[in-house]
Amino acid sequence: MRKKLAPILSLALTAGLLAACGAGPAEEKKTGAAAEPSATAKTGAVNVYSARTYEVDDKLYADFQAKTGIKVNVIKGKAEELIERMKREGQNTQADLFVTVDGGVLNNAKKAGVLQPMESEALKANVPDSLRDKDNHWVGLSTRARVLVYAKDRVKPEQLSTYEDLASDKWKGKLLVRSSTSTYNQSLLASLIELDGEAKAEEWAKGVAANLGRAPEGGDRDQAKAVAAGSGDIAIMNTYYYGQLLNSKDQEEVKVAQSLGVFFPNQETTGTHVNVSGAGLSKYSKNKENAIKLVEYLTGEEAQAVTSAENFEFPVNPKAKKPELLQSWGDFKTQQIDFAKLGEYNGKAIEIFNKVGWK
């Protein structure tokens, strides 16, 4: 059943392609994309504008359709472009839900006026207050910790401590991290601006940039592979990428993960930086009730366990079962900051990265 539904449900239209083609609803229909708003309103289908690109999401959408009979259409693209598209479409938007991977971006969508509150007792029961917008404009679907991975044959975990320590001279030429254009890095720096102040955050970014073993290139998994290859001893990366490597079908990737250790920084101070992936209800949703049903399903114990087991993200529902790998890391202290601050300081973070030469 799932195999038959998946091609119908998952429609990947990048916003870049749409922008390049000037594509609107008419062009999308030619490719089999989401139907016209009036049509979806009649059928009750839920249209999801998503910046997440994981197979497990498509699987869960298919499961939801199989269980409820409510069709889910997915249009994928970059978060900022999807927000602009929702603004441009206004009341005629096809979007029922907006899904993305960063608390700051979720808050930007709220500030852009493209979302509305989701009133649901089930969501309040599924997701703690700290992982929901205070006005219920978005709710968390998963969390991901930005940690340090290290070469087990060259670094001892007792040598590691905090993000701030990475800027010290002892790590000269030993650090690896993706570029400053990464939202993950921008939000990490934004969190340090919030916690340590702008001056110290800039000092940290300058120190890390000076300690890099090579110019930033590739994604998080590429940093792990480079540590295993000896280009550096420590990389900053999200835990779920480590989980993907360790459970890869490619045995070389498994070997990479097995050569690395995972360290949760700042356990004695401000906690490990954690970001949230979440969903918001479109301000002009044509199928509000069904859209909320979908988010309730995605934050339920069963779907949360699937997300965690297959994508190695941390569940937002505290009752959901975590896979053995995540359980092996145990509980850890997390940063306690308002996710809205990640968006508020995003521009300043980019300014600092450019100033200190973190490419």
Side-chain angles (χ1 to χ4, degrees), residues 149-155 174 176 214 220-235 237 242 245 251-261:
V149 297
Y150 59 92
K152 289 193 289 190
D153 62 343
R154 303 191 294 277
V155 177
K174 296 181 178 180
L176 299 173
R214 66 174 187 182
D220 277 12
R221 294 196 294 186
D222 294 310
Q223 310 314 312
K225 293 175 182 177
V227 171
S231 298
D233 290 348
I234 303 166
M237 66 182 290
Y242 177 83
L245 285 172
Q251 289 306 304
E252 291 303 313
E253 292 191 337
V254 175
K255 289 180 181 177
V256 165
Q258 291 175 336
S259 72
L260 305 176

Side-chain angles (χ1 to χ4, degrees), residues 299-310:
T299 57
E301 289 181 52
E302 181 182 349
Q304 287 281 291
V306 172
T307 297
S308 193
E310 298 194 13

Side-chain angles (χ1 to χ4, degrees), residues 46 48 61 64 72 97 290-299:
V46 177
V48 181
Y61 295 144
F64 173 77
V72 180
L97 289 177
N290 286 351
I292 293 176
K293 284 181 181 177
L294 175 56
V295 183
E296 290 174 343
Y297 167 76
L298 293 173
T299 57

Side-chain angles (χ1 to χ4, degrees), residues 52 54 98-107 127-133 138-146 183-184 187 238 240 272-279 299 304 313-317 335 337-340 342-343:
R52 284 176 56 99
Y54 311 115
F98 170 67
V99 175
T100 192
V101 295
D102 179 84
V105 176
L106 286 163
N107 194 59
V127 185
D129 291 349
S130 60
L131 299 176
R132 286 189 279 116
D133 173 59
W138 58 262
V139 62
L141 298 176
S142 64
T143 64
R144 50 272 299 274
R146 196 143 184 81
T183 302
Y184 301 145
S187 288
N238 288 345
Y240 73 99
T272 296
H273 174 66
V274 170
N275 209 329
V276 67
S277 182
T299 57
Q304 287 281 291
E313 297 175 88
F314 292 96
V316 294
N317 189 325
Q335 279 183 351
I337 63 172
D338 184 349
F339 286 109
L342 305 182

Side-chain angles (χ1 to χ4, degrees), residues 106-315:
L106 286 163
N107 194 59
N108 289 343
K110 175 186 176 183
K111 291 172 65 177
V114 299
L115 304 180
Q116 64 172 308
M118 284 185 284
E119 301 298 339
S120 164
E121 292 304 314
L123 290 179
K124 291 178 181 177
N126 289 345
V127 185
D129 291 349
S130 60
L131 299 176
R132 286 189 279 116
D133 173 59
K134 61 183 178 61
D135 299 316
N136 296 317
H137 279 71
W138 58 262
V139 62
L141 298 176
S142 64
T143 64
R144 50 272 299 274
R146 196 143 184 81
V147 300
L148 310 182
V149 297
Y150 59 92
K152 289 193 289 190
D153 62 343
R154 303 191 294 277
V155 177
K156 296 178 180 178
E158 51 265 33
Q159 294 176 272
L160 302 171
S161 58
T162 64
Y163 297 111
E164 289 83 348
D165 181 62
L166 297 178
S168 65
D169 291 341
K170 66 181 178 182
W171 301 120
K172 190 76 172 179
K174 296 181 178 180
L175 302 186
L176 299 173
V177 67
R178 66 199 300 174
S179 83
S180 62
T181 61
S182 163
T183 302
Y184 301 145
N185 287 339
Q186 292 169 7
S187 288
L188 172 59
L189 182 54
S191 74
L192 297 182
I193 293 173
E194 168 68 6
L195 293 169
D196 299 336
E198 183 180 330
K200 288 187 177 179
E202 179 176 327
E203 184 180 346
W204 175 79
K206 183 178 181 180
V208 169
N211 284 345
L212 295 181
R214 66 174 187 182
E217 61 179 81
D220 277 12
R221 294 196 294 186
D222 294 310
Q223 310 314 312
K225 293 175 182 177
V227 171
S231 298
D233 290 348
I234 303 166
I236 303 172
M237 66 182 290
N238 288 345
T239 43
Y240 73 99
Y241 286 118
Y242 177 83
Q244 290 174 359
L245 285 172
L246 194 60
N247 291 275
S248 173
K249 295 178 181 177
D250 183 339
Q251 289 306 304
E252 291 303 313
E253 292 191 337
V254 175
K255 289 180 181 177
V256 165
Q258 291 175 336
S259 72
L260 305 176
V262 176
F263 185 83
F264 290 78
N266 293 67
Q267 291 304 288
E268 302 300 324
T269 58
T270 53
T272 296
H273 174 66
V274 170
N275 209 329
V276 67
S277 182
L281 179 65
S282 171
K283 182 177 181 179
Y284 298 110
S285 169
K286 309 300 185 298
N287 292 299
K288 179 178 174 179
E289 183 178 344
N290 286 351
I292 293 176
K293 284 181 181 177
L294 175 56
V295 183
E296 290 174 343
Y297 167 76
L298 293 173
T299 57
E301 289 181 52
E302 181 182 349
Q304 287 281 291
V306 172
T307 297
S308 193
E310 298 194 13
N311 213 40
F312 305 101
E313 297 175 88
F314 292 96

